[in-house]
Structures are given as structure tokens and as C-alpha cells.
């Protein structure tokens, strides 16, 4: 585990080590494209030279807004080689949401996608902002297009900058920022989580060791690259271990089955619904799934029977669940390879090496094992803080270095953690965290809405979905369907409330706070109606 912290130190050093030791071995398979480790470093250095030619300086932020395609990886590594800081954007964002993060992070360059599945990301952005309002943004580069502004032209036009790249890499240290991942905000707007090269490498070397990821594994990465799971527990962990990266741009179970069969995938992460669907697929017997060795799952309740079936009916040797949050590098606790199915299904494991995890009461005192309390985390994996937001940082991390997660959990006598309540009012839609305060903030931009309160409600397919209670402005005559349609045009689909109710008033307490428990009772009655 110490190799990442001591020998590599930074992501550029890791990349050079991988290219030097693995050479022409395949690093990435993406359709008909095969990229070797040496070629990956070469393209990343071209990207770094192109960023430098645009005037990017060490510490500058560069954003990537694209699905899981192979170019995403050298685009990100090029940012690190140039001494810059990666800012990934959620591909489900609409233009207004992306513009907020670009403005908040002062991003100098945006690497995005040409039209993909009917979405033109650059057009979304331009439609949401006034010309010239993104004052720091110097260039938009589009992947898989041709001509001016395309990725290929961007690389080809950049003059060589090997000496400058080497100088910047040499000046980079483990304590320098590697990325800022914006989390959906519990207080209305996303906050940028700052993480360093050293902490990232150390945490995900530990993650890779626990999972058992190794050279020769073929890793189908279905988790999005904009998320810590697809980025850090995904292609970066493959870079550390020598596993081959197989990006999956669109989540489609039939395509996953076909790729496991054709490419002999050994490592497959995903939410429980993925494995349920595979196990119950009517044509499962037509696919050779015998190569599957490693699984990582979570982000929803897991039946013990699912873990048993994954071991008995498929060929998984190791099935891992865990708990983490972006503010703790994405990982804090993990089950281990020899844990029993009930432990894997009902807990999130125990703390990863050199990280402390406690369950505490309101005074910060550890509660007895078996009793509920707030989960707190301390260690090298805890973020430096929220970008340009010392007040929120001070709320999240106390004077003793404990990160207060806001999650309620119970720890057993073995040190294994079970999460019982989610962060404040957060709910999870198909594996994506949805925060009511952020959704409410977005909905209030609609001129017809005077007040809105959002809660999570059960859903058979997605686990949970949003339900919005809306008070209209006096002169408005919008319908629930019209508000739903507006939301679909304005925000990422996992945030869009699946149910909208127009109400006269919201239930409030004496201080004016919405009583969401009353709304949950109302929602339960409404959803039970025939």
C-alpha cells in the first residue's frame, strides 16, 4: 500500500511508471480502438502541451464534460501533466448546471463531447449562458468531431512542450491538488471537494489491494468517469495495478453481457440492479460469463440472497461493498474478500487502512457499539476542504480533523459499519445521490413556482425518486405536467421529480421550516391510491 504514497507521489509519476514498465501492452480497449500504455502517455503529453499553449498555468482548473470514452483518460492525465486541476462534470447536467460549476471553478478550458445520444453538450452550455459570461473559459474542445475546436486538431496544433511539461511534473508534489469534484449541495448549490495527488493515490491503492485488482484483469468500467467510482476506483486504479481499461459509455445490460462474453471481462462494478438483471436475464445462458472474478457493488440496499446468487450462479471470487463520500476521497470503509454474504449485504465493511471511522453523539463522543450516531471520518483520505469556501469547510471538518458526514450509522463489535439514514434528506435515484435543497433551488428559477419542497419516495425500478410539492405564484396557472416538463429541460434526469403535486400551502413549523415528515406521510397516502 505504501508504494503509491512513497514511490509515485503524483499521478504523472504513476503514468510514467506504467508506460515505462508496461510499454506496448494494452491499456485501453474502446470498441475498435486499442491504446497501449506507451501511447496513453504520449497522447496525455500532447494534451498537456495543448493546454499549455492555451496559457494554462499550474493550479488552473480544466473541466471535462463527456461520457466514458477512451479520450477522457488522456485528457485528464494531460491536465495533471500540465500541473492543472481536473474538474469533472456530470454528463446528466443541463447547461445551467454545467455553467454554474465552470463559473465557480474558474475553469480555463472545457473538454466535452460532440453530439452523443442526441445531446450536444456545447450547445447546451451556450443556450444557458449569455455570450462572454464565462470570462475565464478560453477554449471549448470537442471529442469525436472534426475541424476547428476538435480534440484531434487541438492536439495537432500544439507546439511541443516536453521541457516545460517535465519542469511542471518535477515541481508537482503529493500535497498538490489533483482534482475538484463538485458534490450536489445539501444547502442549495454544489460544493467543490479539493483532493490531492498523494491522498488519491494512497486511498485507491488501498482500495485496489482490498478488492484484489491486479495486472491482467480486464475492467469494464460502467460507473461514470465524472464520479470518484469511475475515475479513481475506475481507470486510475487500473493505471496503478496494470488492469486493462474497458470504458462503457452507455449503461445497457445487454451490451454489458455481450462485452463480458466477447472481451472476457474479469472486473465488473455496478449497483445491485445490474447484478439482479444479469442473474434474471432470460438469455443469460447464451453468454460466457465465466471470466468474471471481481465485483464491487453498493449505493442501495442489498439482499443477502443477491450476494449468495452472485457467488453460486456466477463465477465471482470476490464481492465487495463499501461506504464513502466525495469528501473522504470516495472511500472510507470496505468489506473484505473473505466476509460472509450477510456481512457483505448488510454492512459497509470496516475502515480502510490508516483511516479512522467512528459513530458519535451530538457532542462528538463515540457511542457504544450497536447504538446509532453520526458517522465521522479522520485520516489522509479527508479532503483539503471545499474550494473557495472556508465557512462550509469549517462546518464539515472540526478542529480535531474529523469529517462530519451527516450520515447516521451503527458500528458492530467488529468495527463493521451499517448506514441507517442518509445524509440529511438525500435520496438515491438509481445509484445517483439527489439532494432536495439543490433540486428546490433549481425549481425556484421557474417563474410559476412560489415555494417548493422535494422529498424522496420509494420506486420499484429506481429504488427512490423525487416528489415535489409546489405552491404556485398567485398569477400562475401551470399544471403538474408542465412543471415536470420544465424540470426535464432544466436539470439532470436523476434530479427530476417523478411526481409533482400542486398544493395551496406547505406545512411549516414555528420557525418557518418545512415539515418534511408531514410531506412523507402525504406522499405515502397519495402513492397508495388505486
Amino acid at each position: 500500500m505504501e508504494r503509491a504514497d512513497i514511490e509515485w507521489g503524483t499521478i504523472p509519476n504513476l503514468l510514467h511508471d506504467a508506460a515505462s514498465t508496461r510499454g506496448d501492452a494494452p491499456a485501453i480497449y474502446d470498441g475498435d480502438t486499442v491504446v497501449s500504455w506507451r501511447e496513453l502517455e504520449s497522447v496525455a503529453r500532447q494534451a498537456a502541451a495543448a493546454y499549455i499553449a492555451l496559457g494554462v498555468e499550474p493550479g488552473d482548473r480544466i473541466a471535462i464534460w463527456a461520457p466514458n470514452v477512451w479520450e477522457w483518460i488522456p485528457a485528464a492525465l494531460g491536465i495533471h501533466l500540465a500541473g492543472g486541476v481536473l474538474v469533472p462534470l456530470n454528463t446528466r447536467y443541463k447547461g445551467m448546471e454545467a455553467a454554474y460549476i465552470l463559473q465557480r471553478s474558474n475553469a480555463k478550458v472545457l473538454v466535452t463531447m460532440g453530439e452523443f445520444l442526441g445531446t450536444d453538450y456545447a450547445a447546451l452550455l451556450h443556450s444557458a449562458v449569455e455570450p462572454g459570461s464565462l470570462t475565464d473559459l478560453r477554449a471549448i474542445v470537442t471529442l469525436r468531431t472534426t475541424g476547428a475546436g476538435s480534440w484531434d486538431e487541438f492536439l495537432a496544433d500544439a507546439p511541443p512542450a516536453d521541457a516545460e511539461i517535465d519542469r511542471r511534473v518535477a515541481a508537482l508534489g503529493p500535497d498538490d491538488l489533483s482534482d475538484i469534484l463538485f458534490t450536489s449541495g445539501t444547502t442549495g448549490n454544489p460544493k467543490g471537494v479539493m483532493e490531492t495527488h498523494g491522498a488519491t493515490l494512497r486511498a485507491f491503492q488501498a482500495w485496489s489491494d482490498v478488492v484484489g485488482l491486479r495486472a491482467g484483469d480486464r475492467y469494464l468500467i460502467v460507473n461514470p468517469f465524472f464520479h470518484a467510482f469511475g475515475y479513481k476506483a475506475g481507470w486510475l486504479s487500473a493505471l496503478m495495478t496494470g488492469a486493462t481499461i474497458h470504458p462503457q459509455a452507455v449503461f445497457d445490460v445487454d451490451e454489458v453481457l455481450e462485452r463480458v462474453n466477447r472481451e472476457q471481462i474479469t472486473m465488473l462494478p455496478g449497483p445491485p440492479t445490474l447484478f439482479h438483471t444479469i442473474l434474471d436475464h432470460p438469455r443469460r445462458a447464451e453468454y460466457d460469463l465465466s471470466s468474471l472474478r471481481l465485483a464491487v457493488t453498493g449505493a442501495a440496499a442489498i439482499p443477502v440472497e443477491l450476494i449468495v446468487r452472485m457467488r453460486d450462479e456466477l463465477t465471482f471470487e470476490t464481492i465487495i461493498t463499501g461506504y464513502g463520500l466525495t469528501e473522504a476521497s470516495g472511500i472510507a470503509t470496505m468489506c473484505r474478500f473473505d466476509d460472509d454474504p450477510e456481512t457483505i449485504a448488510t454492512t459497509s465493511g470496516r475502515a480502510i487502512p490508516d483511516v479512522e471511522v467512528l459513530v458519535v453523539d451530538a457532542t462528538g463522543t463515540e457511542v457504544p457499539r450497536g447504538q446509532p450516531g453520526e458517522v465521522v471520518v479522520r485520516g489522509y483520505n479527508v479532503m483539503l476542504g471545499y474550494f473557495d469556501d472556508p465557512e462550509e469547510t469549517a462546518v464539515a471538518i472540526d478542529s480535531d480533523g474529523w469529517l462530519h458526514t451527516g450520515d447516521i450509522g451503527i458500528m458492530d463489535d467488529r468495527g463493521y459499519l451499517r448506514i441507517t439514514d442518509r445524509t440529511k434528506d438525500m435520496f438515491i435515484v438509481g445509484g445517483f445521490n439527489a439532494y432536495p435543497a439543490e433540486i428546490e433551488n433549481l425549481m425556484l428559477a421557474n417563474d410559476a413556482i412560489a415555494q417548493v419542497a422535494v422529498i424522496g419516495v420509494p420506486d420499484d425500478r429506481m429504488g427512490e425518486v423525487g416528489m415535489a410539492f409546489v405552491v404556485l405564484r398567485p398569477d400562475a396557472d401551470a399544471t403538474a405536467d408542465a412543471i415536470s416538463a420544465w424540470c426535464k429541460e432544466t436539470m439532470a434526469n436523476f434530479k427530476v421529480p417523478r411526481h409533482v403535486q400542486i398544493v395551496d400551502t406547505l406545512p411549516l413549523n414555528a420557525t418557518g421550516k418545512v415539515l418534511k415528515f408531514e410531506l412523507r406521510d402525504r406522499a405515502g397516502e397519495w402513492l397508495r391510491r388505486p
Side-chain angles (χ1 to χ4, degrees):
M1 189 188 79
E2 295 305 314
R3 173 186 164 97
D5 191 37
I6 295 171
E7 188 173 331
W8 293 323
T10 67
I11 293 171
N13 289 343
L14 165 64
L15 172 62
H16 184 66
D17 180 53
S20 300
T21 57
R22 300 178 198 132
D24 295 326
I28 308 173
Y29 278 99
D30 188 2
D32 294 330
T33 300
V34 182
V35 182
S36 73
W37 295 102
R38 186 176 286 115
E39 288 169 335
L40 177 59
E41 183 183 36
S42 176
V43 178
R45 287 180 71 91
Q46 285 180 275
Y51 297 138
I52 291 168
L54 284 174
V56 169
E57 296 292 338
D60 284 345
R61 275 74 64 192
I62 298 175
I64 302 181
W65 191 20
N68 292 13
V69 293
W70 79 265
E71 296 95 332
W72 210 108
I73 300 168
L77 292 167
I79 295 169
H80 295 135
L81 286 164
V85 178
L86 167 64
V87 180
L89 297 184
N90 190 322
T91 52
R92 300 188 179 203
Y93 279 165
K94 304 299 185 183
M96 185 168 65
E97 297 164 304
Y100 173 82
I101 291 177
L102 293 172
Q103 290 172 322
R104 189 78 178 83
S105 65
N106 311 115
K108 283 194 173 179
V109 182
L110 171 63
V111 178
T112 188
M113 194 76 169
E115 187 172 324
F116 182 74
L117 297 180
T119 298
D120 185 327
Y121 293 99
L124 273 181
L125 181 64
H126 289 310
S127 68
V129 298
E130 294 294 328
S133 62
L134 295 172
T135 54
D136 293 296
L137 194 63
R138 298 183 180 181
I140 297 177
V141 182
T142 52
L143 304 173
R144 302 194 176 182
T145 58
T146 58
S150 71
W151 172 251
D152 290 342
E153 190 167 291
F154 176 63
L155 298 184
D157 288 350
D162 287 335
E164 178 61 15
I165 293 169
D166 290 344
R167 186 188 69 79
R168 294 189 182 193
V169 169
L172 204 61
D175 295 332
D176 287 315
L177 279 186
S178 58
D179 47 70
I180 301 174
L181 273 62
F182 276 79
T183 65
S184 293
T186 57
T187 55
N189 286 314
K191 299 188 288 291
V193 173
M194 299 186 293
E195 196 58 271
T196 66
H197 286 264
T200 294
L201 290 171
R202 188 174 175 186
F204 286 92
Q205 181 66 61
W207 183 90
S208 300
D209 287 346
V210 171
V211 170
L213 193 64
R214 65 194 185 205
D217 273 323
R218 293 174 292 280
Y219 188 170
L220 185 62
I221 306 178
V222 298
N223 297 297
F225 287 172
F226 63 75
H227 190 279
F229 205 161
Y231 159 31
K232 298 185 181 185
W235 61 260
L236 188 64
S237 292
L239 198 63
M240 282 191 273
T241 59
T244 305
I245 302 160
H246 296 247
Q248 177 68 27
V250 180
F251 183 77
D252 178 271
V253 173
D254 288 321
E255 186 175 345
V256 167
L257 285 168
E258 178 56 41
R259 291 193 69 184
V260 172
N261 176 89
R262 182 179 66 248
E263 299 166 28
Q264 291 295 283
I265 298 300
T266 62
M267 167 62 161
L268 181 63
T273 50
L274 169 65
F275 300 106
H276 274 300
T277 307
I278 289 174
L279 286 162
D280 297 330
H281 197 282
R283 294 185 292 107
R284 171 159 64 100
E286 298 176 17
Y287 300 96
D288 179 6
L289 308 180
S290 62
S291 59
L292 290 173
R293 189 175 70 84
L294 305 176
V296 179
T297 190
I302 305 170
V304 176
E305 180 62 23
L306 175 62
I307 304 300
V308 173
R309 290 188 67 195
M310 287 171 68
R311 285 184 168 173
D312 291 350
E313 299 179 35
L314 299 172
T315 57
F316 289 113
E317 298 172 9
T318 300
I319 303 167
I320 297 290
T321 54
Y323 164 75
L325 60 165
T326 308
E327 288 87 340
S329 299
I331 189 67
T333 68
M334 297 178 72
C335 286
R336 303 307 198 260
F337 75 94
D338 55 353
D339 283 332
D340 61 87
E342 184 171 357
T343 295
I344 294 169
T346 60
T347 82
S348 298
R350 64 181 191 267
I352 62 173
D354 301 323
V355 168
E356 298 174 88
V357 178
L358 294 179
V359 176
V360 302
D361 62 19
T363 68
T365 303
E366 185 177 8
V367 300
R369 297 294 171 96
Q371 297 297 312
E374 184 186 16
V375 180
V376 294
V377 179
R378 183 168 67 179
Y380 67 84
N381 62 328
V382 172
M383 66 175 178
L384 289 185
Y386 292 117
F387 177 70
D388 201 21
D389 200 340
E391 293 83 5
E392 286 293 330
T393 300
V395 170
I397 304 173
D398 68 25
S399 58
D400 292 322
W402 289 101
L403 171 68
H404 289 255
T405 69
D407 289 325
I408 305 302
I410 295 172
M411 187 173 287
D412 67 20
D413 290 336
R414 303 172 299 165
Y416 278 69
L417 182 68
R418 179 165 59 92
I419 302 297
T420 58
D421 287 302
R422 300 188 180 116
T423 307
K424 298 180 174 62
D425 293 324
M426 184 192 86
F427 53 96
I428 299 179
V429 182
F432 288 91
N433 293 351
Y435 290 88
E438 184 190 13
I439 298 169
E440 291 160 2
N441 194 51
L442 290 167
M443 291 183 71
L444 287 171
N446 186 316
D447 291 338
I449 297 175
Q451 300 174 62
V452 59
V454 174
I455 61 171
V457 296
D459 182 82
D460 289 340
R461 188 171 69 88
M462 302 301 290
E464 288 177 295
V465 294
M467 182 170 185
F469 294 84
V470 174
V471 178
L472 297 177
R473 295 188 179 185
D475 56 346
D477 60 359
T479 64
D481 287 344
I483 290 171
S484 293
W486 182 89
C487 289
K488 290 175 183 176
E489 292 295 322
T490 307
M491 64 186 78
N493 61 357
F494 70 91
K495 300 178 189 175
V496 174
R498 300 302 195 270
H499 310 285
V500 174
Q501 265 203 320
I502 306 295
V503 297
D504 293 329
T505 61
L506 295 174
L508 305 175
N509 68 9
T511 62
K513 183 178 179 180
V514 176
L515 298 172
K516 290 199 171 181
F517 69 88
E518 287 194 18
L519 295 182
R520 291 188 184 96
D521 289 342
R522 283 193 208 175
E525 294 174 7
W526 187 78
L527 292 169
R528 285 192 295 271
R529 292 186 312 182

